[in-house]
Amino acid sequence: MIFSLFSKRSDSQSITYINSSIQIAVSRGILIGFSAAGFLAVLSGLIDLTDSGTDTAVFLIFGTLITLICSYLTRYVSEKKLARSEIFLSVFSGFLFCILCSSFLYLLLVEGENFADVFFESAAAFTTTSLTTLDFTNSGRGVIFYRTSSQLLGSFAALVTAVLVVPISDDNFGLRMPGRAATQDVFPDRKNAVKSITVIYLASLTLLTLILLITELDFFHSLLLAMSAISTGGFSRNTNYFENSSVQLLLSLGMIITGTSVVIIWRLASRKVGFMLRSSEFHIYLSLILGATFLIFFWADEGTASSLGKSLFFAISSISTTGFHISPFESWPIAAAFFILLLVTIGPMSLSNGAGFQVHRLRILFALLRREMIRQLHPRAVVKIRAAGENVREERVRQVVVFQFLFTSTIFITAMVLTISGMDLYDAFSSAVAAITTAGPIRNPDGLVIAVSSFSSGERLALVPAMVAGRLYLLPVFISLGYLLSESRNFLRPRRRILQAIRSNK
Amino acid sequence: MAGIALLFVAAGVAVSTLVSLFNQRVDSVSLLLATVIVGFAGLLLFTSTKLGKTDQASIFTAVGTTWLIVSLFGTIPYLLAGTFSRTGIGIPEVFVDSLFESVSGFTASGSTVFGAHNPIEMQGSGILFYRQLTQWMGGMGIVILVVSVLPSLRASGLGLIDAEAPGAGVERIAPRVVETAKKFWYVYLSLTVFIALALFLFGMGPFDAVSHALTTASTGGFSTKDSSLGHWNSIKIEMVVMLGFLLAAINFTLHARSIEKKRFNYASDSEFKSFMGLIAVGVLIITLLLNLEGFSFGTALRNASFNVVTLATSGGYGNALGRGESGDFASWPGSTQLLLLFFIVIGGCTGSTSGGVKIMRFRIGIAHAYRILRSIRRPSALIRARMGNKTIPDSLVERVAGFVVIYGILVVSGTFILTVLGTDLVTSLSGSFSALGNMGPGLGEIGPTSSFVDGFSAPGRVVLLFFMLIGRLEIFPMLLMFVIPYRTSVNAIKSKK
């Protein structure tokens, strides 16, 4: 849409300055990232007009300029088709530059903040991590809308990436539904997939906003809360809303939907209820929510209907990796703190808005475990890994194992950096988990939320790589980094560089 | 097999009785009685059982049962001597403590329930020697001990050793399995004698030198003093122990081959190089971090190297003079503790007496991750996981993946159960890792100067003792031991129907 602002270049204009694959990938990422942030700024500027309008000019000028410049510059980037690793690099750099561009906008809008803080805020928004450092108490509608809608854009981009770009093997990870219906293509092509996801997003957002109007919330705040719930961002300027039982219940409903696979929701919208009822991943997801609610309710030891509602809200907020800032129960055992960490680590269904490990991967790991047990007894047996009654390809199993390895390593490295800066072990560990699952908030053993603004700038910045990696499902980020590393190694080797130049001239 | 194993334990208790008789004569009668009971039980089991079918299921059941029976009978000396009886606790808790110490001994873990409430130094020399001997017997493996004296096991012997041995399997270093088992024991015995002599030479008394040699060669970590090696506060002793731990944490096949060929061939082994490299890097980083915290460079280097080696080899001795002193890593900064936790998880080399996930598996994990990431980048390329010059077969990668997954699931479940029982998260997590890796101390409330009674309730200690057994047998045999009877009964019901 943005790129169509300028007419297609003619043959005389077909000179492109960016031709190498790596440059094309990064450039496309930069342009998409910047224009997305610019587009959001224009929208926020218009929203700001409904309030005092003090930030409207900044939003509109910044947004329009960025969008126009990016649209113009696209003509200098070659239209060459990119390989999979280059697309990963493009997505990764797009995310990073969107965050960067957004940081500059915050610098213009929020007074007295340094770059590290605004960069963290921007990263938390686009990665849908429920952590915040800036003080939005006196901010206008435009700024609040920008902060909240950044989450929506971030989660939408991540989901589209998961559906269209990440599919590494063709089973169970991309256009096909994990589980019993894996043989059926749900979205026939990529264009339709994006269209369907957009429809799901808009419909669920509208529905939740309208339902929230039943409570005492006005339209704007209902919209903001709905955006935070649908995107699993969990940001809210006023945390008092969450103490209201009806708001809790409605948001719980929204979060259940957001943690459900888009494929199931699409089928449900197409009136194919049986599809949802047959999905074993969905059954596990619901069982986890129910089990967690029961356990939290049991630990809360209050026995009231409101505490049951709050337990449900806690459980869904954690498992969907939304992370709304809700106060803990008075009775909060140590096990509850660990259990919440466990829930956010498990995460929701695959192909949902949430991050974390996700239920389908966990099932594959359990199936792998079962196979190893059988192989111990029958070393020569050929045992297939089965999940939801279907064989899972070995390549996919290996990727899940590597995902587990990278997931654990990222938590360890992040916690290591945090402890070096002086944080204690528990806080470092829970911060690392909150960052990689893009859940937040960080809680102490008593369940109280630790304000991330109490961290040093270095500690906050240490969380950003885990947040970005977690939001983009790890593998694309690690593959991009590996690609960049190998390309820079090649670049530094003059002999190879000369040979490549000769080859390209031929 | 359990019968022979019990006869070995009885022999160990008999030796401890002699030690007791030569020293203060405390507990001599109890130990003598324990010798008779354990010996009789062993004889009874040995004469009443005969070699049956030797499929994988029965091998796992045999190995698992042997370890359970040995651990249970291992409590008898403690129970008869009243080692863990104290005012305010009932018989069940006394039994739990005895079983915990017995399991921790035989699995060469080194976690202890002795502490300020029940000091080690208040015990008689007989019981202390028995405690050290349990680690020595368990360090190399009770099953290997049995196989080395039971030629009737023939081919199934290697399967039995395989089920018990740490790592991805046992390499045969002699044509006959019995010879292989014997060679392992000769290397182990020689190492123990070497360490005992060195410790004696550097200032330990003969009793302490032998006692510590037994638990150094087995990378067990039980000490005869409340403040462990901190009691001597000697760099020389610490150096000997570090060398002993390192030798014990290297694949015993390498030792056996080096002795046989009279040529040191360690540098050609990639696992050995990685192990030493990791330790060197760990020591360097922790020394720098401690130095930044205000420790003098000498103190930082001494404490970092001792604690990294003791934890990386799953040794478990402490060199702190007391709680909060410079050697007490539980009071070090979080970053150093996290690095030490990494070493607790990784452990030593395969085919050694150390515990943990093992360097080999760690390397295979990295090689596999690297391969998958590369293969995603180049989908049409045929990329193999490699370790050194060797290609890693897919079957081994799958075994390692399965092991790591179940290891993770066990740690998470263990931590959850322990937190439900009221222990804090850091202590629970490190306790689970420590128990599964047969490490000994952990972080939080179970540091090198603490007792597991301070860190965990009695039910928590029961969970941990099961973890120690599961970890010692590299997880699968102990788990399958419970699964096999269930599957058999389910199949029987199905066939009846």
Side-chain angles (χ1 to χ4, degrees):
Chain A
M1 184 184 73
I2 297 159
F3 301 117
S4 62
L5 286 172
F6 289 90
S7 58
K8 272 208 157 187
R9 56 180 175 246
S10 62
D11 286 346
S12 58
Q13 290 174 308
S14 66
I15 300 164
T16 53
Y17 299 110
I18 295 166
N19 287 314
S20 83
S21 302
I22 190 165
Q23 285 171 351
I24 294 169
V26 175
S27 310
R28 281 188 195 169
I30 294 172
L31 293 175
I32 293 170
F34 270 45
S35 3
F39 169 71
L40 216 57
V42 172
L43 205 64
S44 306
L46 296 174
I47 295 286
D48 200 53
L49 282 174
T50 62
D51 193 24
S52 58
T54 45
D55 301 320
T56 309
V58 179
F59 272 125
L60 290 180
I61 293 169
F62 184 89
T64 317
L65 264 178
I66 289 283
T67 315
L68 289 178
I69 291 169
C70 289
S71 310
Y72 180 75
L73 288 177
T74 46
R75 66 184 55 212
Y76 297 111
V77 182
S78 163
E79 286 184 342
K80 190 178 151 187
K81 200 178 172 193
L82 296 176
R84 185 180 285 138
S85 49
E86 289 148 7
I87 297 173
F88 287 152
L89 181 61
S90 206
V91 171
F92 176 50
S93 50
F95 233 82
L96 275 186
F97 281 95
C98 190
I99 291 169
L100 203 67
C101 181
S102 204
S103 314
F104 289 119
L105 185 60
Y106 280 124
L107 269 184
L108 295 172
L109 293 166
V110 188
E111 281 176 20
E113 296 293 347
N114 60 31
F115 184 76
D117 285 351
V118 292
F119 182 74
F120 179 81
E121 190 70 39
S122 179
F126 282 102
T127 59
T128 68
T129 314
S130 182
L131 300 171
T132 183
T133 50
L134 303 187
D135 182 13
F136 290 104
T137 325
N138 300 318
S139 302
R141 279 190 169 186
V143 178
I144 297 296
F145 181 82
Y146 185 81
R147 172 62 176 84
T148 316
S149 55
S150 306
Q151 299 173 136
L152 203 66
L153 188 69
S155 84
F156 179 78
L159 187 59
V160 169
T161 308
V163 175
L164 302 183
V165 189
V166 177
I168 289 159
S169 59
D170 57 2
D171 68 320
N172 292 339
F173 206 66
L175 299 173
R176 293 167 186 225
M177 168 61 198
R180 285 178 65 89
T183 47
Q184 298 167 24
D185 280 351
V186 177
F187 301 128
D189 56 59
R190 292 177 176 218
K191 210 172 171 182
N192 266 332
V194 178
K195 221 158 110 182
S196 310
I197 294 169
T198 315
V199 170
I200 290 170
Y201 255 76
L202 291 177
S204 44
L205 186 67
T206 316
L207 208 68
L208 191 58
T209 309
L210 292 176
I211 296 174
L212 279 169
L213 284 174
I214 301 168
T215 62
E216 74 261 33
L217 293 172
D218 60 29
F219 178 77
F220 183 66
H221 288 102
S222 298
L223 178 71
L224 292 182
L225 275 186
M227 280 202 283
S228 282
I230 298 297
S231 65
T232 71
F235 169 79
S236 176
R237 188 164 58 168
N238 188 355
T239 53
N240 292 332
Y241 298 142
F242 309 131
E243 302 302 328
N244 182 322
S245 306
S246 45
V247 173
Q248 273 177 13
L249 203 66
L250 295 174
L251 284 178
S252 299
L253 188 73
M255 286 188 286
I256 289 180
I257 295 168
T258 207
T260 308
S261 163
V262 279
V263 181
I264 285 194
I265 296 171
W266 187 248
R267 287 275 166 173
L268 202 62
S270 321
R271 293 183 198 167
K272 286 172 182 159
V273 185
F275 188 85
M276 183 184 78
L277 297 175
R278 280 200 308 273
S279 166
S280 51
E281 193 191 3
F282 186 65
H283 297 165
I284 297 173
Y285 172 59
L286 283 188
S287 314
L288 276 171
I289 292 173
L290 288 176
T293 307
F294 172 74
L295 259 182
I296 296 169
F297 179 65
F298 174 73
W299 281 323
D301 202 21
E302 287 178 10
T304 56
S306 65
S307 73
L308 184 66
K310 191 173 169 178
S311 305
L312 178 73
F313 188 71
F314 236 120
I316 300 172
S317 177
S318 306
I319 205 163
S320 65
T321 68
T322 308
F324 279 125
H325 290 230
I326 184 170
S327 58
F329 291 101
E330 276 184 29
S331 162
W332 191 256
I334 297 159
F338 179 67
F339 187 64
I340 294 293
L341 281 179
L342 203 60
L343 283 180
V344 297
T345 306
I346 292 171
M349 292 178 73
S350 53
L351 297 186
S352 69
N353 291 342
F357 204 82
Q358 298 186 335
V359 175
H360 189 58
R361 288 196 186 96
L362 206 64
R363 294 184 71 194
I364 292 177
L365 285 189
F366 274 103
L368 176 73
L369 169 70
R370 187 178 159 271
R371 177 171 77 176
E372 279 317 300
M373 298 276 256
I374 296 170
R375 275 191 181 169
Q376 290 289 323
L377 292 175
H378 311 286
R380 288 177 189 171
V382 179
V383 190
K384 290 272 177 200
I385 297 265
R386 290 174 74 81
E390 288 234 334
N391 288 338
V392 182
R393 278 174 49 172
E394 279 304 318
E395 201 54 30
R396 176 84 187 105
V397 178
R398 286 178 195 142
Q399 281 164 16
V400 172
V401 171
V402 170
F403 184 90
Q404 182 208 18
F405 181 78
L406 296 176
F407 195 84
T408 323
S409 309
T410 312
I411 290 178
F412 177 80
I413 292 166
T414 310
M416 187 72 212
V417 176
L418 292 174
T419 50
I420 286 175
S421 74
M423 203 180 274
D424 75 65
L425 262 182
Y426 179 87
D427 289 350
F429 178 69
S430 52
S431 305
V433 172
I436 197 168
T437 56
T438 70
I442 301 160
R443 292 180 187 274
N444 68 11
D446 299 324
L448 297 170
V449 174
I450 304 170
V452 80
S453 50
S454 64
F455 290 12
S456 68
S457 297
E459 286 166 349
R460 284 198 291 267
L461 288 179
L463 293 174
V464 174
M467 279 152 54
V468 175
R471 185 62 273 184
L472 290 176
Y473 311 102
L474 294 179
L475 288 177
V477 174
F478 279 92
I479 291 165
S480 303
L481 291 176
Y483 179 56
L484 278 177
L485 198 72
S486 74
E487 286 299 312
S488 54
R489 214 167 45 190
N490 289 346
F491 184 75
L492 292 171
R493 281 182 195 154
R495 210 174 119 216
R496 203 179 268 194
R497 217 168 70 209
I498 293 163
L499 281 172
Q500 272 176 353
I502 294 166
R503 268 185 219 141
S504 62
N505 279 342
K506 275 178 185 174
Chain B
M1 194 167 67
I4 295 272
L6 279 186
L7 287 174
F8 274 114
V9 177
V13 187
V15 174
S16 309
T17 315
L18 288 175
V19 172
S20 174
L21 281 169
F22 282 113
N23 285 288
Q24 306 104 316
R25 298 189 181 192
V26 186
D27 308 326
S28 304
V29 180
S30 319
L31 285 169
L32 194 65
L33 197 60
T35 311
V36 174
I37 295 171
V38 178
F40 181 72
L43 213 60
L44 204 70
L45 266 174
F46 180 61
T47 50
S48 61
T49 50
K50 56 182 179 182
L51 195 65
K53 58 174 185 176
T54 53
D55 59 350
Q56 284 294 107
S58 39
I59 282 174
F60 286 136
T61 313
V63 171
T65 317
T66 302
W67 276 84
L68 273 182
I69 290 175
V70 164
S71 303
L72 274 172
F73 277 88
T75 59
I76 291 175
Y78 296 128
L79 289 171
L80 291 177
T83 311
F84 298 103
S85 305
R86 58 184 195 274
T87 47
I89 64 163
I91 295 169
E93 198 165 337
V94 172
F95 178 72
V96 166
D97 283 353
S98 306
L99 188 61
F100 186 89
E101 203 72 9
S102 171
V103 169
S104 175
F106 284 113
T107 56
S109 296
S111 310
T112 185
V113 283
F114 283 111
H117 60 279
N118 187 16
I120 295 173
E121 287 165 43
M122 295 291 282
Q123 310 303 321
S125 52
I127 278 290
L128 287 183
F129 194 76
Y130 165 71
R131 189 168 161 259
Q132 306 295 102
L133 261 180
T134 55
Q135 289 210 320
W136 191 71
M137 282 190 273
M140 176 48 77
I142 292 163
V143 175
I144 297 184
L145 190 60
V146 174
V147 170
S148 64
V149 294
L150 266 187
S152 61
L153 289 170
R154 291 190 195 98
S156 60
L158 195 68
L160 288 165
I161 297 175
D162 218 21
E164 185 193 58
V170 164
E171 222 176 311
R172 207 189 270 246
I173 49 173
R176 291 173 64 216
V177 180
V178 177
E179 289 301 316
T180 303
K182 276 182 181 167
K183 275 191 177 175
F184 280 136
W185 269 96
Y186 289 144
V187 173
Y188 192 48
L189 197 66
S190 317
L191 184 64
T192 313
V193 172
F194 163 73
I195 297 166
L197 286 173
L199 287 175
F200 180 65
L201 211 66
F202 287 118
M204 265 194 193
F207 174 75
D208 288 325
V210 173
S211 298
H212 283 87
L214 294 174
T215 53
T216 305
S218 60
T219 62
F222 274 166
S223 174
T224 52
K225 302 292 174 196
D226 285 310
S227 49
S228 195
L229 290 192
H231 176 85
W232 286 274
N233 193 17
S234 155
I235 294 180
K236 288 174 192 167
I237 287 174
E238 284 172 23
M239 298 275 273
V240 171
V241 166
M242 277 157 62
L243 181 68
F245 275 156
L246 286 174
L247 288 172
I250 295 166
N251 195 331
F252 271 49
T253 313
L254 275 179
H255 292 317
R257 291 230 166 100
S258 297
I259 292 167
E260 208 171 76
K261 291 179 181 170
K262 290 178 183 162
R263 198 182 67 189
F264 290 103
N265 207 19
Y266 295 93
S268 62
D269 186 66
S270 61
E271 190 185 17
F272 169 79
K273 283 192 280 189
S274 307
F275 179 55
M276 297 312 267
L278 265 179
I279 287 182
V281 171
V283 168
L284 191 74
I285 296 174
I286 294 181
T287 304
L288 289 173
L289 289 170
L290 288 179
N291 195 224
L292 286 172
E293 271 303 302
F295 285 62
S296 71
F297 186 76
T299 313
L301 182 64
R302 178 183 170 180
N303 288 317
S305 43
F306 182 80
N307 285 300
V308 166
V309 169
T310 196
L311 292 179
T313 58
S314 72
Y317 283 139
N319 69 340
L321 303 174
R323 190 171 272 209
E325 295 288 334
S326 58
D328 180 11
F329 58 76
S331 61
W332 288 358
S335 51
T336 54
Q337 290 191 32
L338 203 61
L339 265 178
L340 290 177
L341 189 65
F342 170 76
F343 283 109
I344 288 177
V345 177
I346 299 299
C349 300
T350 47
S352 70
T353 59
S354 65
V357 170
K358 304 281 179 319
I359 297 288
M360 170 87 85
R361 291 199 183 97
F362 180 62
R363 290 194 64 199
I364 291 175
I366 292 178
H368 177 57
Y370 182 65
R371 169 210 176 181
I372 293 296
L373 290 178
R374 280 189 71 194
S375 67
I376 293 169
R377 270 190 60 203
R378 296 187 177 86
S380 51
L382 186 69
I383 301 162
R384 296 241 166 247
R386 296 179 71 84
M387 197 166 59
N389 297 323
K390 290 178 188 165
T391 302
I392 308 165
D394 280 346
S395 57
L396 184 60
V397 174
E398 281 162 16
R399 274 180 72 181
V400 171
F403 180 87
V404 173
V405 168
I406 193 165
Y407 201 89
I409 290 170
L410 280 172
V411 167
V412 170
S413 353
T415 308
F416 181 61
I417 296 169
L418 292 171
T419 51
V420 168
L421 292 170
T423 311
D424 70 271
L425 182 59
V426 173
T427 309
S428 302
L429 185 70
S430 70
S432 301
F433 272 127
S434 170
L436 262 184
N438 299 133
M439 189 60 54
L443 307 174
E445 296 297 314
I446 48 166
T449 56
S450 310
S451 162
F452 270 60
V453 172
D454 304 331
F456 299 100
S457 60
R461 297 201 289 277
V462 173
V463 173
L464 289 178
L465 71 88
F466 272 107
F467 267 43
M468 285 190 255
L469 279 170
I470 291 171
R472 177 62 186 85
L473 294 181
E474 303 271 312
I475 297 174
F476 289 109
M478 194 51 82
L479 288 187
L480 286 168
M481 197 182 83
F482 295 107
V483 174
I484 292 161
Y486 168 74
R487 279 173 68 94
T488 316
S489 57
V490 168
N491 288 343
I493 292 165
K494 274 183 186 168
S495 61
K496 267 184 188 177
K497 276 182 181 173

